[in-house]
Amino acid sequence: MNIPVLIIEDDFWIAGIHEEQVEKNQYYSVQKIAKSSKEALHYLDHCTHLPQLILLDIYIPDTEGLTLFKKLRTDYHQIDVIVISAANDRETMIKTKRYGAFDYMVKPADEDRIKQSLHLYFEYTKLINDHEQFNQQHIDHLFHSGQLGSFKQDKNENVPKGIDPLTLQEIIRFLKSASYEPMTATYISKSLGMSRSTARRYMEYLVSINKAETILNYGNIGRPLRQYVYREQNEQNSS
């Protein structure tokens, strides 16, 4: 799955940060960065394929207040919108919610919050794509998106300090979709756009709860190479 994103942000430095955050996620790609309302609407009017998601700053110099947001929701209702803006007043909150913003972050949005928002949107998209009909549990999660991150988690596993449930779910999803070959922390980190130490910490946690196991690969010289196998995959491969 690849989710194309349009970033509408007049500050090129902030736009670059948001682009970097989006591109770190393997399920997303930045389709276009627009620095004005005019540029954004011209692009949407003429692009071959519309983006699926827009990251929108409300305070754009060539438009007033929520004008661009309302137009996007009216003319391009099939595109979802996540707002990242300095606006934090009551009227803006009420109107963006009523007009259907998927999420709202107040600037400066930190990396973990953006990562969480993208994760929730991915969970939402996957749930929509995987079903033709929905039971009440599915519907509850669709209409209460803050719960999406815990969907299908095992009792939301009371994870220890330093283990983020959203990052853990991302790693588990990657492991489940990967081949049965053992993987190093370096390979996992590069695949998911995280540091090697972070990947190793999460893999060691999965080992500690018996959801992964380690394999030591002894080469000709030096220390043995530590590799990981997701337990579900390993059991399937050996059966």
Side-chain angles (χ1 to χ4, degrees):
M1 180 190 302
N2 181 267
I3 299 173
V5 179
L6 167 62
I7 297 174
I8 305 177
E9 169 61 62
D10 65 301
D11 187 314
F12 74 93
W13 184 73
I14 294 178
I17 292 175
H18 293 168
E19 178 183 25
E20 181 181 354
Q21 293 304 314
V22 170
E23 293 289 353
K24 278 184 178 180
N25 190 307
Q26 62 176 326
Y27 301 110
Y28 291 83
S29 62
V30 174
Q31 183 171 316
K32 169 73 174 177
I33 296 177
K35 297 180 175 62
S36 68
S37 173
K38 181 179 180 180
E39 182 182 2
L41 293 175
H42 181 271
Y43 177 76
L44 292 172
D45 285 343
H46 295 86
C47 65
T48 304
H49 301 287
L50 288 173
Q52 181 177 332
L53 178 66
I54 293 176
L55 299 187
L56 172 68
D57 178 14
I58 291 174
Y59 291 149
I60 299 293
D62 63 338
T63 190
E64 294 183 3
L66 295 169
T67 302
L68 177 58
F69 176 73
K70 291 177 181 178
K71 185 170 182 60
L72 292 172
R73 299 304 298 141
T74 301
D75 295 354
Y76 300 97
H77 55 85
Q78 68 271 49
I79 306 175
D80 293 309
V81 178
I82 292 176
V83 178
I84 307 179
S85 177
N88 61 356
D89 58 281
R90 179 192 299 175
E91 182 180 1
T92 299
M93 298 302 108
I94 292 173
K95 289 184 176 180
T96 50
K97 179 71 173 177
R98 285 177 177 170
Y99 272 88
F102 180 83
D103 197 2
Y104 196 112
M105 288 172 276
V106 177
K107 288 182 176 180
D110 62 47
E111 179 177 346
D112 288 341
R113 182 62 179 85
I114 295 174
K115 182 177 180 180
Q116 178 192 47
S117 185
L118 294 176
H119 178 84
L120 290 176
Y121 184 75
F122 172 82
E123 290 282 300
Y124 162 81
T125 302
K126 189 172 187 301
L127 187 56
I128 288 290
N129 291 343
D130 287 351
H131 297 83
E132 291 294 333
Q133 295 183 328
F134 299 85
N135 61 33
Q136 189 59 54
Q137 183 187 20
H138 295 146
I139 295 168
D140 289 345
H141 284 85
L142 287 174
F143 283 86
H144 301 278
S145 60
Q147 300 176 20
L148 280 167
S150 61
F151 190 57
K152 291 186 179 179
Q153 287 187 11
D154 300 331
K155 302 178 184 178
N156 199 24
E157 300 187 19
N158 294 318
V159 295
K161 185 177 180 180
I163 300 295
D164 173 58
L166 295 177
T167 302
L168 183 62
Q169 282 292 98
E170 181 181 1
I171 290 176
I172 290 175
R173 186 182 297 110
F174 169 74
L175 295 172
K176 286 182 175 180
S177 66
S179 66
Y180 296 138
E181 295 299 320
M183 292 179 284
T184 64
T186 300
Y187 177 81
I188 295 169
S189 68
K190 289 181 178 179
S191 298
L192 295 177
M194 60 180 62
S195 69
R196 179 182 174 277
S197 61
T198 296
R200 180 160 186 167
R201 181 171 72 252
Y202 280 82
M203 291 309 303
E204 290 295 334
Y205 171 70
L206 289 174
V207 170
S208 73
I209 61 173
N210 295 319
K211 288 195 173 182
E213 63 180 81
T214 56
I215 297 175
L216 296 180
N217 187 351
Y218 292 88
N220 295 327
I221 57 174
R223 294 184 298 176
L225 186 65
R226 191 176 184 85
Q227 297 175 306
Y228 299 92
V229 176
Y230 188 59
R231 182 170 289 277
E232 178 181 303
Q233 289 184 342
N234 197 40
E235 289 174 353
Q236 290 175 355
N237 197 37
S238 60
S239 61

